[in-house]
Structures are given as structure tokens and as C-alpha cells.
Amino acid sequence: MPTAPSLAPPAPPALNPDQARALLKALADPIRLQVIEALGGGERCVCELTVALGLAQSKLSFHLKVLKEAGLLADRQCGRWVYYQLQPEALEQLRGWLAQLAASCTAPAEPCC
Amino acid sequence: MPTAPSLAPPAPPALNPDQARALLKALADPIRLQVIEALGGGERCVCELTVALGLAQSKLSFHLKVLKEAGLLADRQCGRWVYYQLQPEALEQLRGWLAQLAASCTAPAEPCC
DNA sequence: ACTGTCCATCAAGGAAAGTTGATGGGTTTT
DNA sequence: AAAACCCATCAACTTTCCTTGATGGACAGT
């Protein structure tokens, strides 16, 4: 048995600090949250998103790039269109990272005076 | 029975979008994460944190304020010192918010071509 | 009172992120 | 091959965030 196959069920690969920061920063923007919510119902192409959110194409493209680089979105070209879809695993990974952070806070609360 | 008393056990009050954004933004900074980790072991005063993290007093004070305003920290004055401590509920609330966001993404995945 | 320590706040400068309009590459349609 | 459409990228600008050094308030000790 070379490398014991893990039996953990979903077990997200655990985030490194930079990935976590990128995710947090990507989510900390109203426009990008709107994009995520708009993609909640399924895949959409850029031109659909521009009209749905009332954004300039250039502006939307910028935010899509941020979200994609953070790992929250995946894109797929289809002819002349580019479709974006959510990567819900990313949200789950961030949740795991937060849980781990909270777990490291064993604060015993030591009042001094 | 005027307002039925909820039976939910811990039930964090649920975050509004602005609170969630403040939390995300506050966590998306390396220095502030160091502060949080430093406070993981319990309450600390500002002067302890400055030496522990090697930060200028003014700089640390700025980041402490951001974290406090986001709800991640609470402070307490004791004589000449000011002690900061973590508010782990804030992390839990953010986790809940993320779960809710993920739940709203029912992406049916509709390939077109 | 005077001095020293701890801390928050401020103004000014620098760095990073977001916005805008324009340009060009790639694809389909005519 | 020309025209129309979808989209990413770029440079210039604006805005937001962070850093730095200085100032002052609150408290404790002398």
C-alpha cells in the first residue's frame, strides 16, 4: 500500500492562506455578489449578465476575472459566447477554512482586573 | 401567544449584506489575520500585540479598529491598558451566511452546445 | 503637579483596487 | 471578404485602502 487512500467523504483539499484571502476579497464586493447570485440559477453567458445586472461589458469582465481567479467561477467558450458558472466547492472550502480558523481560537478568557 | 418564542438552539441572528461584506473585507488582510491568530490564545492588550507582531502602534491600532467595527473583536479598558478579545460568534455567523449563499445556488447546469 | 506609559486619532503620502472608454481578436452571418 | 457580434485587455483616471509620523487624551506612579 503506497499511499493509503483516504476514506474521507467529500474532504475539500484545504485552502492555503493566499487562496483564502483571494476568496474573501472576491466575495467582499457588492457587484461580485450580484454576479454570484445571478449565476445561482445556472450557467450564463457574459452578454446575458450585462443586461441582467445593467453593467458595462468591460466592468463585468473585470469582476468575472476576479471571481474566476479566486476559483469561484469557471468559464467555457461556446462559439461566440462565453459561459460562466459557479464553483460551489469554493464556497464550501472557504467555509471549511473559517471553521478551522474558529477552531484555533480556544480563547480561555483570562480577565486580569 | 404574541410572538412565538423560537426554539432554535444557538441560532445566530443572520447577517445583513453589509455586515457580511465588512467581515469578509476585514478577514481579507494578512496583518488582520495575524491579529486574529494571535488572539486565538486569549485576550491581549495592544502593547503585547505590537511586540508579538512587530507592528507600529499606530498601524496596529488601525487594523484593530477595522476588526472591531466588523464585529470580530471586542475591547475592554483596564486601567491604562486596552484588552482585545475575539468574538468567535462573528466567524460562525459568517459561516452561516456562506452556507446560505451556497444553498441559493441550485445550479442545474444546462449545457447548451 | 510632574513625568512616563498606553493608546486612539489625525493629516499627508503611497499603494492597491475599481471604473471608463477605446482597441482588437475570435466567431458567426450575409 | 465584409459586416456584425461577443468578449478580453489595455491605458488613464478616480476612488478606496493602507502606512507613516506626529499630536493629544487618559491613566499610573513619583
Side-chain angles (χ1 to χ4, degrees), chain A residues 57-111:
Chain A
Q57 183 266 321
S58 172
K59 192 174 185 177
L60 177 59
S61 196
F62 169 79
H63 289 291
L64 287 172
K65 187 178 184 181
V66 173
L67 289 168
K68 180 184 171 186
E69 289 180 344
L72 282 162
L73 261 44
D75 63 343
R76 170 176 79 87
Q77 180 161 3
C78 175
R80 148 161 83 161
W81 292 274
V82 174
Y83 288 86
Y84 281 85
Q85 71 174 341
L86 272 177
Q87 302 286 89
E89 317 92 70
L91 289 175
E92 196 48 44
Q93 288 182 355
L94 184 57
R95 251 171 70 78
W97 180 86
L98 276 178
Q100 176 179 322
L101 178 63
S104 73
C105 301
T106 55
E110 29 171 89

Side-chain angles (χ1 to χ4, degrees), chain B residues 1 7-9 12 15 21 39 48 50 58 73 82 88 99 106 109 112:
Chain B
M1 45 184 76
L7 293 185
L15 253 32
R21 281 208 312 123
L39 290 176
E48 286 176 312
T50 56
S58 172
L73 261 44
V82 174
T106 56
C112 80

Side-chain angles (χ1 to χ4, degrees), chain A residues 24 28, chain B residues 21-29 32-33 36 66-67 70 72:
Chain A
L24 291 165
Chain B
R21 281 208 312 123
L23 281 173
L24 292 165
K25 200 175 291 186
L27 290 173
D29 180 280
R32 292 195 283 265
L33 276 184
I36 288 183
V66 174
L67 288 168
L72 283 162

Side-chain angles (χ1 to χ4, degrees), chain A residues 27-68:
Chain A
L27 290 173
D29 181 279
I31 292 183
R32 292 195 285 264
L33 276 183
Q34 287 182 35
V35 171
I36 288 184
E37 287 170 2
L39 290 176
E43 206 175 41
R44 295 276 188 118
C45 72
V46 177
C47 61
E48 286 176 314
L49 288 173
T50 57
V51 306
L53 302 179
L55 295 177
Q57 183 266 321
S58 172
K59 192 174 185 177
L60 177 59
S61 196
F62 169 79
H63 289 291
L64 287 172
K65 187 178 184 181
V66 173
L67 289 168
K68 180 184 171 186

